[in-house]
Amino acid sequence: MTRTGTLWLVANGASGSNDHAALDSLIEALRAAGSESALVVDCQTDELPDRAALERNAVTTLAIFTGDGTANTAITSIEGWGGEVLLLPGGTANLLAKALHGESSAEEIVAAFGAGRLRPMSRTCIRSSQGSALVEVLAGPGATWSEVREGLREGDIGGTASKAVEAVRQSATGPMVIIAEPVLGRDSGYAGVRLAPEALGMSVDGYGAETAADYLKQGIALLKRDFREGPHDELGTHSEVLCHSADGSPIALMIDGERRSGGAQEHFSLAQLGVNLLGTPDG
């Protein structure tokens, strides 16, 4: 079976979780599915394609084989484009790919794509001053754990140890984030406020630690981006949330696993993502 239309592939040539063999295997899977890539973009050396480039080259499918952070940048930069995004797990957590395809491998997803089993899906996202989140936002000093995870990816053991000590210190003593509108959770705030987009609102959780064991659990959960493993308060589902720093300092943010720096006050709102992502029905 040969699919019609033009497909471009974005990949991360320097990814710690995929090597050249993995990329070669994916390209062969695309060829077998009848969708050989007309262009491979290495996000480490090439500019990510924008909407104008996709439209100018009549691209119908943009395949993205990266982690959540690069996928976020690639997808949010083409909102309004009329084509479809084929997201493939090419990073460490791959939370967005798992939301779309479950635990399927990149090759299995490509095979489903070639067989016509994937469907375009409209998804929500979270808008903020520092960009849009497709998977999650973590606001507060706990976001500094993203730097520890980056060190682990790069194999910097010595640097990672010092960053972990600093992350624990920041989580314990850094400026807490208070949820002001609507008023939610602890009056003193949290070391981390997590927001995740759902169909009808943002699920909001507050993360704070009270004992040394709690801090250890919290750190491990943040490193794995499996926040449910850490001690937290479930604060419901909301369409808009206003947070502010307890001491007026900038709020540390982690958006889809990537570190950002916000203002002393940050407004988060649920919105519709302006591009269709291909997904596995009920997958």
Side-chain angles (χ1 to χ4, degrees):
M1 175 181 174
T2 300
R3 296 183 61 92
T4 58
T6 300
L7 181 145
W8 280 8
L9 171 64
V10 173
N12 186 349
S15 172
S17 55
N18 283 308
D19 53 20
H20 291 297
L23 180 56
D24 290 343
S25 175
L26 175 62
I27 292 173
E28 180 56 37
L30 284 166
R31 185 177 297 116
S35 298
E36 185 168 359
S37 175
L39 178 69
V40 178
V41 177
D42 185 340
C43 64
Q44 292 296 318
T45 58
D46 307 320
E47 287 189 9
L48 290 171
D50 58 14
R51 175 183 173 183
L54 297 177
E55 291 175 344
R56 185 170 58 250
N57 291 276
V59 177
T60 55
T61 304
L62 181 66
I64 302 175
F65 184 53
T66 70
D68 287 322
T70 303
N72 175 300
T73 303
I75 292 169
T76 55
S77 67
I78 60 172
E79 286 198 73
W81 175 53
E84 297 171 338
V85 173
L86 176 63
L87 186 63
L88 306 166
T92 48
N94 301 310
L95 297 185
L96 183 55
K98 288 177 181 177
L100 293 165
H101 309 289
E103 297 294 334
S104 298
S105 68
E107 288 78 9
E108 290 170 336
I109 296 167
V110 167
F113 171 66
R117 296 198 300 270
L118 303 185
R119 297 288 180 268
M121 296 184 174
S122 178
R123 290 182 59 86
T124 57
C125 63
I126 297 174
R127 307 291 192 196
S128 76
S129 72
Q130 298 304 307
S132 299
L134 310 185
V135 178
E136 64 196 3
V137 176
L138 184 70
T144 56
W145 280 93
S146 64
E147 297 167 7
V148 181
R149 192 177 62 254
E150 187 64 29
L152 288 174
R153 281 203 301 248
E154 296 174 354
D156 180 12
I157 304 302
T160 298
S162 63
K163 288 177 181 177
V165 170
E166 177 62 17
V168 170
R169 187 189 71 79
Q170 285 286 339
S171 297
T173 64
M176 298 293 102
V177 171
I178 296 169
I179 306 174
E181 294 179 18
V183 177
L184 299 173
R186 302 178 187 174
D187 292 341
S188 58
Y190 294 95
V193 173
R194 178 182 181 258
L195 306 98
E198 297 182 352
L200 301 178
M202 300 176 292
S203 65
V204 182
D205 297 302
Y207 291 80
E210 297 180 354
T211 68
D214 283 345
Y215 279 117
L216 178 60
K217 291 177 184 176
Q218 193 74 83
I220 292 172
L222 289 166
L223 284 174
K224 295 167 62 180
R225 285 181 67 195
D226 189 352
F227 294 95
R228 293 287 174 180
E229 291 188 3
H232 65 281
D233 297 336
E234 296 183 3
L235 303 175
T237 302
H238 308 274
S239 59
E240 296 188 64
V241 169
L242 179 68
C243 298
H244 68 79
S245 171
D247 65 357
S249 60
I251 298 174
L253 298 174
M254 185 165 62
I255 296 180
D256 289 350
E258 298 296 320
R259 183 79 160 76
R260 310 279 176 88
S261 182
Q265 180 173 284
E266 284 292 331
H267 176 259
F268 304 98
S269 60
L270 188 75
Q272 201 68 32
L273 181 64
V275 64
N276 283 324
L277 309 182
L278 291 169
T280 305
D282 302 322

